[in-house]
């Protein structure tokens, strides 16, 4: 399966755990990582991603940079780039949307687009016009060359308050999220915020390796997450490469609606274009115990990558 991965690396360290998992999955032959696009405003994102792949001895796919979009705080990309990047990692990067269009147009099979940050790049893709890579506009190109979108997005079991607002990925760029849900012509698979929350990963790696590699360094400098961080993005990555396994389960289909504050609502409907990914709560186990199982699997995949440096 060919994958395009759109990440807001820099906003939270779970993106780096997702990249570590994808290196593992690519080595296992579960996925072909065709392109990475960055939807965070820091100029250090592309060099940090390139440095991450080089450090772990994996060829880095083309990495595209966001154009425009909201300004977001970079919590670790500059730190990772300063310590681990080489001069070539700072070379010019293509714009994200032309890179996605090129990757889709050149693919001989239908791709999966996985987006785990704000949806600026995805909205710009859908609104794009024909170009040198394809005469099709963005919606038509996605319909022809994309199997489905897999997203980390939304809260569906939460009572929203000022202290507990809408999901980060949506509220960072609500207009782009609305464009995505309204215009995307292929089905969505959505992992809600509640599913990845308290699925803590990274502690084992931080305990064993300290902050001496790009993965654990991002945990040490992001909210001091050396004791583990919620695993929204790596859980999505596992689904893209291996399906639900026995850790997740898919909901019945339905539709997602989005209000002006970014609050999401899911309505079951047999004709819907969305399924949600929930924790598969196994018999005689609590939901948290089942989250811990998946976290242990993600940590074990990261360990396979770390130990072979």
């Amino acid at each position: 399966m060919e994958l395009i991965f759109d990440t807001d690396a820099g906003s939270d360290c779970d993106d780096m755990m997702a990249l570590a998992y994808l290196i593992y999955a690519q080595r296992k032959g579960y996925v072909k990582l065709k392109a990475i696009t960055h939807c965070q405003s820091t100029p250090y994102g592309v060099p940090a991603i390139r440095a991450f792949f080089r450090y772990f001895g994996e060829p880095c796919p083309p990495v595209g940079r966001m154009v425009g979009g909201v300004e977001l705080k970079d919590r670790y990309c500059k730190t990772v780039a300063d310590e681990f990047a080489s001069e070539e990692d700072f070379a010019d990067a293509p714009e994200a949307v032309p890179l996605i269009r090129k990757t889709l147009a050149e693919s001989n099979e239908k791709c999966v687009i996985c987006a785990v940050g704000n949806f600026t790049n995805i909205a710009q893709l859908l609104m794009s016009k024909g170009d040198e890579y394809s005469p099709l506009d963005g919606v038509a190109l996605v319909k022809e060359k994309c199997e489905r979108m897999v997203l980390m997005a939304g809260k569906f079991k939460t009572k929203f308050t000022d202290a507990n607002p809408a999901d980060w990925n949506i509220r960072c760029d609500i207009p782009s999220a609305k464009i995505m849900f309204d215009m995307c012509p292929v089905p969505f698979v959505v992992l809600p915020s509640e599913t990845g929350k308290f699925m803590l990963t990274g502690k084992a790696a931080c305990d064993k390796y300290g902050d001496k590699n790009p993965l654990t360094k991002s945990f040490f400098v992001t909210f001091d997450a050396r004791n583990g961080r919620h695993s929204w993005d790596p859980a999505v990555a596992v689904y893209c490469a291996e399906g639900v396994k026995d850790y997740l389960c898919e909901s019945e289909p339905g539709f997602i609606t989005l209000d002006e504050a970014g609050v999401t609502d899911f309505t079951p409907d047999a004709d819907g274009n969305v399924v949600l990914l929930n924790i598969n709560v196994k018999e005689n186990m609590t939901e948290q115990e089942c989250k811990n199982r998946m976290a242990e699997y993600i940590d074990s995949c990261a360990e396979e990558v770390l130990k072979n440096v």
Side-chain angles (χ1 to χ4, degrees):
M1 184 267 292
E2 295 189 346
L3 181 69
I4 298 168
F5 190 67
D6 187 63
T7 171
D8 63 340
S11 296
D12 206 332
C13 55
D14 65 321
D15 294 80
M16 301 304 258
M17 183 61 80
L19 289 178
Y21 169 78
L22 288 172
I23 289 175
Y24 166 85
Q26 183 157 266
R27 290 175 179 173
K28 289 289 188 181
Y30 300 151
V31 68
K32 298 174 185 175
L33 193 54
K34 302 299 290 186
I36 297 172
T37 50
H38 190 229
C39 59
Q40 225 266 14
S41 51
T42 175
Y44 295 96
V46 171
I49 292 167
R50 289 170 171 167
F52 190 93
F53 277 78
R54 178 184 296 104
Y55 183 92
F56 292 113
E58 188 73 7
C60 187
V63 184
R65 58 182 173 83
M66 182 179 71
V67 176
V70 295
E71 293 287 326
L72 298 173
K73 179 179 176 61
D74 172 28
R75 302 184 187 280
Y76 59 82
C77 282
K78 184 178 187 303
T79 301
V80 168
D82 284 347
E83 184 165 343
F84 298 101
S86 65
E87 184 176 346
E88 63 187 286
D89 293 326
F90 287 89
D92 288 344
E95 295 181 4
V97 171
L99 175 59
I100 299 174
R101 288 184 58 87
K102 179 177 187 291
T103 304
L104 289 173
E106 293 179 352
S107 177
N108 292 321
E109 60 183 83
K110 287 202 171 187
C111 298
V112 171
I113 296 176
C114 178
V116 296
N118 52 284
F119 301 108
T120 308
N121 289 334
I122 306 304
Q124 290 180 5
L125 168 66
L126 293 170
M127 294 188 296
S128 65
K129 305 300 183 184
D131 57 12
E132 69 230 68
Y133 305 117
S134 171
L136 300 176
D137 65 25
V139 170
L141 182 61
V142 168
K143 184 176 182 178
E144 180 177 283
K145 301 303 289 281
C146 180
E147 176 185 336
R148 65 188 184 277
M149 295 267 189
V150 182
L151 314 174
M152 194 274 111
K155 296 178 181 178
F156 301 94
K157 301 176 183 177
T158 300
K159 182 177 181 180
F160 294 97
T161 66
D162 289 343
N164 188 14
D167 171 59
W168 167 266
N169 287 349
I170 288 178
R171 63 186 163 92
C172 281
D173 189 348
I174 295 171
S176 288
K178 182 167 178 54
I179 289 169
M180 179 189 65
F181 283 118
D182 287 350
M183 293 181 62
C184 185
V186 297
F188 293 100
V189 179
V190 174
L191 185 134
S193 176
E194 295 96 341
T195 300
K197 192 165 186 175
F198 301 119
M199 186 189 292
L200 301 180
T201 56
K203 184 180 187 304
C206 289
D207 287 347
K208 184 173 181 178
Y209 297 97
D211 64 349
K212 305 306 181 186
N213 63 71
L215 173 60
T216 55
K217 173 68 78 172
S218 71
F219 276 72
F220 271 74
V221 299
T222 304
F223 313 119
D224 192 18
R226 69 185 76 183
N227 288 317
R229 186 66 181 151
H230 311 294
S231 295
W232 300 289
D233 298 354
V236 173
V238 170
Y239 175 82
C240 285
E242 301 186 69
V244 295
K245 294 179 72 69
D246 68 341
Y247 301 124
L248 300 170
C249 57
E250 295 179 349
S251 75
E252 60 190 317
F255 293 102
I256 289 177
T257 55
L258 178 69
D259 73 11
E260 66 279 358
V263 173
T264 46
D265 186 54
F266 177 76
T267 303
D269 189 310
D271 296 323
N273 65 343
V274 178
V275 296
L276 303 183
L277 291 176
N278 301 311
I279 287 295
N280 180 24
V281 180
K282 299 177 74 66
E283 187 176 359
N284 299 322
M285 296 182 70
T286 67
E287 180 174 319
Q288 186 59 55
E289 288 171 336
C290 293
K291 288 187 176 187
N292 294 345
R293 288 180 66 249
M294 188 168 191
E296 289 167 4
Y297 176 67
I298 294 167
D299 277 334
S300 71
C301 297
E303 172 60 17
E304 286 295 314
V305 174
L306 286 161
K307 74 180 185 181
N308 289 319
V309 175

